[in-house]
Amino acid sequence: MKTLHLSAECYPIAKIGGLADVVGALPKYQNSLGVESQVVMPFYDIKFTQDNIFTKVYSAEFKLGTTSYKFEVLKPKTNILGFEIFLIDIPELLFTPYVYSNDDTDRFLSFQIAALNWILQLKEKPDVIHCHDHHTGLIPFMMSHCNAYKSLQNIPTVLTIHNAQYQGWFSHDKVNYIPKFDLTKMGLLDWDNCINPLATAIKCAWRVTTVSPNYMEELKVEANGLQALIKAESDKCIGILNGIDFSVWNPETDAYLIKHYAVSSVQSGKNAHKKWLCKEFELDPKKPLLVFIGRLVVEKGSDLFPEVFEKVIKNSNVSILLLGSGDELTQKGLQALKENNSGSYNAFIGYDEALSHKMYAGADFLIMPSRVEPCGLNQMYSLRYGTIPVVSTVGGLKDTVIDIEEGGFGICFDEVDVPHIIHSIERAIKFYEDQNRFRKTRKRIMKIDHSWDASAQSYITLYNSLN
Ligand code: ADP
């Protein structure tokens, strides 16, 4: 069986969040289970495309409305990722130093059209086309209803929703950008008087998955306007929990770490990283270290951090280190807090893959007060690195973290507001005081198996049911 994944992100080529981690790992594990799994993504103007040599495998032209664009399909000369990857180069639209911008309609519509034009002429067609998020959400519609792609209509399509908050909405004014299609199917493109690629994908894909079972249940109640649709299509929907890529996220081999460690050496391994972090960021290593890593957006609850951190630093015995970027106001609040709080608090505003790995390794606790968390990979990385997660009980966090008071290993809270977050941090500090229990729990969480093996197999079972 041959599967083609289409995605805007893929680690290590282009990563904004968890989508990249999933698309960079799942194909590897599927290949090891005997499914030939490949990825198609845009050719951005970024480090990976600058540093590698590519071979052209196809070139042609396509039309977006009345404008013609040339495109090429490129492949790295060597298979560096453990699976085959094809990059679509549309110089005027996709060759940008960023992955996303404020208006991506033309970029991702073009990506999808070019990808389908390339697939159309492949001698050996994929057995399944697996789309990820709204950036590739019009593919199932186009394969079924556009005149040009009719020969692809019997290839099963799967949509994975990594985040239903973003849906790729655009106006009906651009409907003629979609290649000619059966006009009686116009309704499939529409949701609330807009063209909504995520809604269209939910309607047209053969199967829809989300990245955790609990998130699928939550989407039936609240999905940024699509809850009724998800409920109506629930027969073809299933939640499959993401895994983590042990070839990248393993403290025994992680290339970003300054000292490797296993369960038996967790104490010295984590101490070395905590010491490094505390020196680098001028924090007191004697206090428990609580970290946050992620996008500074409302869904992650990060708007509450300036107030929460200010109160916690004043009243509790804890060091806090944050790595992230996003909302301007939150960034300002977090920067301002640095003044007068040296020793207890620091923040790195930006994106830094290497630092993130060291933080998973050196922290005592990782906090995730998410309002929406489709799966959440951070808490799984943190478990693997022996860092206790402090999480709200939403989405995949509920599927993966059990509270210490319920026989589990994490600290959970139900309401995302300042008092509940502060209370959970205080619980973490108290837990840290019982070093015997704390150290035992560390060892225990490192052994929890969140590898991709089971999840990759669940996707294969899903593909098999469609062929
Ligand atoms: P989301 O996809 O919603 O951002 P996930 O938990 O699924 O959240 O995945 C987040 C991924 O992005 C993790 O690998 C996390 O370590 C990484 N990440 C997020 N922000 C940063 C940052 N500022 N620097 C380094 N890594 C980051």
Side-chain angles (χ1 to χ4, degrees):
M1 182 187 289
K2 192 172 154 185
T3 303
L4 206 55
H5 293 271
L6 289 107
S7 171
E9 298 177 39
C10 177
Y11 181 83
I13 300 176
K15 170 169 166 178
I16 302 298
L19 168 63
D21 286 349
V22 173
V23 177
L26 178 59
K28 250 191 291 195
Y29 286 80
Q30 290 183 327
N31 278 333
S32 72
L33 292 169
V35 167
E36 192 188 342
S37 191
Q38 304 174 328
V39 173
V40 185
M41 70 173 296
F43 190 80
Y44 303 113
D45 182 12
I46 49 177
K47 193 166 180 337
F48 183 90
T49 56
Q50 291 153 8
D51 289 354
N52 286 282
I53 300 169
F54 297 87
T55 337
K56 182 168 72 183
V57 296
Y58 183 66
S59 67
E61 271 187 32
F62 69 93
K63 270 199 160 168
L64 192 68
T66 51
T67 314
S68 285
Y69 291 98
K70 284 194 166 73
F71 76 96
E72 290 183 345
V73 180
L74 307 170
K75 204 175 116 171
K77 269 222 156 117
T78 44
N79 181 344
I80 14 184
L81 303 180
F83 52 87
E84 263 199 306
I85 181 133
F86 298 93
L87 298 107
I88 299 208
D89 184 18
I90 309 172
E92 292 100 318
L93 295 169
L94 292 178
F95 194 62
T96 49
Y98 50 82
V99 174
Y100 304 122
S101 68
N102 286 337
D103 183 7
D104 283 331
T105 302
D106 295 12
R107 298 173 73 229
F108 289 116
L109 199 45
S110 299
F111 169 61
Q112 295 174 83
I113 293 169
L116 282 180
N117 288 356
W118 169 63
I119 294 168
L120 204 55
Q121 56 74 54
L122 289 176
K123 276 202 192 82
E124 196 196 330
K125 302 275 191 291
D127 299 298
V128 175
I129 292 200
H130 193 148
C131 304
H132 295 268
D133 276 350
H134 72 83
H135 323 99
T136 54
L138 292 175
I139 296 253
F141 172 86
M142 292 199 277
M143 285 170 61
S144 297
H145 305 299
C146 287
N147 303 343
Y149 308 125
K150 275 276 155 70
S151 63
L152 303 176
Q153 67 185 352
N154 293 325
I155 301 178
T157 51
V158 173
L159 164 76
T160 294
I161 304 174
H162 297 257
N163 194 333
Q165 293 301 109
Y166 309 100
Q167 300 173 5
W169 312 265
F170 62 93
S171 152
H172 278 281
D173 296 348
K174 287 195 170 175
V175 71
N176 67 333
Y177 281 23
I178 301 172
K180 274 207 174 62
F181 61 92
D182 175 356
L183 289 176
T184 64
K185 304 295 177 192
M186 184 72 95
L188 292 171
L189 293 172
D190 184 79
W191 195 259
D192 280 344
N193 300 320
C194 248
I195 296 182
N196 182 322
L198 189 68
T200 302
I202 294 166
K203 294 179 203 176
C204 298
W206 292 31
R207 288 287 188 279
V208 176
T209 73
T210 55
V211 288
S212 71
N214 187 45
Y215 186 53
M216 181 59 90
E217 289 315 304
E218 288 177 358
L219 288 183
K220 291 175 191 166
V221 182
E222 164 54 43
N224 203 6
L226 300 186
Q227 49 278 5
L229 177 62
I230 302 227
K231 236 175 156 175
E233 298 283 1
S234 61
D235 283 353
K236 67 176 187 191
C237 295
I238 178 178
I240 300 175
L241 191 70
N242 282 338
I244 62 173
D245 186 350
F246 283 166
S247 65
V248 179
W249 296 98
N250 181 355
E252 291 179 53
T253 53
D254 188 332
Y256 290 119
L257 297 195
I258 47 179
K259 180 180 170 143
H260 290 143
Y261 62 94
V263 177
S264 58
S265 50
V266 57
Q267 189 60 21
S268 63
K270 286 190 74 70
N271 274 351
H273 290 91
K274 185 171 177 179
K275 210 170 142 194
W276 185 89
L277 288 171
C278 288
K279 188 158 180 251
E280 196 74 11
F281 292 96
E282 296 171 346
L283 297 167
D284 180 354
K286 288 193 281 305
K287 296 179 188 173
L289 176 61
L290 176 102
V291 303
F292 172 85
I293 300 163
R295 294 179 296 121
L296 301 176
V297 292
V298 171
E299 295 142 51
K300 302 281 180 196
S302 58
D303 49 305
L304 304 175
F305 280 153
E307 187 182 342
V308 167
F309 291 167
E310 187 171 13
K311 289 186 171 151
V312 168
I313 299 161
K314 215 178 269 167
N315 302 319
S316 308
N317 187 36
V318 65
S319 293
I320 294 174
L321 178 61
L322 174 140
L323 165 63
S325 63
D327 177 64
E328 288 282 335
L329 200 67
T330 307
Q331 287 187 178
K332 264 194 190 150
L334 291 166
Q335 291 284 36
L337 209 57
K338 284 187 189 175
E339 271 173 50
N340 307 325
N341 287 313
S342 176
S344 307
Y345 167 82
N346 213 333
F348 181 94
I349 303 297
Y351 188 94
D352 190 329
E353 189 73 29
L355 175 59
S356 78
H357 287 240
K358 291 186 184 79
M359 286 171 70
Y360 289 115
D364 296 303
F365 299 95
L366 173 115
I367 189 156
M368 297 177 74
S370 306
R371 296 186 174 94
V372 180
E373 195 60 77
C375 175
L377 293 167
N378 301 20
Q379 82 281 11
M380 294 199 263
Y381 298 148
S382 122
L383 293 171
R384 183 74 179 144
Y385 284 67
T387 300
I388 312 277
V390 180
V391 304
S392 54
T393 49
V394 295
L397 297 175
K398 197 171 172 180
D399 285 323
T400 50
V401 183
I402 305 168
D403 194 274
I404 43 171
E405 295 310 320
E406 287 162 21
F409 44 81
I411 293 178
C412 303
F413 52 100
D414 292 332
E415 302 289 325
V416 178
D417 56 24
V418 172
H420 283 86
I421 301 174
I422 291 179
H423 178 65
S424 67
I425 296 176
E426 279 162 0
R427 284 186 64 206
I429 297 167
K430 199 147 187 40
F431 184 51
Y432 183 81
E433 284 165 8
D434 184 350
Q435 276 289 307
N436 192 19
R437 192 176 172 208
F438 178 78
R439 288 183 188 188
K440 272 192 188 140
T441 308
R442 260 184 176 171
K443 292 195 176 206
R444 179 178 163 202
I445 60 179
M446 285 183 75
K447 293 183 208 152
I448 298 173
D449 183 6
H450 278 302
S451 70
W452 264 108
D453 295 319
S455 317
Q457 184 55 55
S458 302
Y459 280 108
I460 293 172
T461 307
L462 181 80
Y463 300 158
N464 282 332
S465 72
L466 301 173
N467 270 290

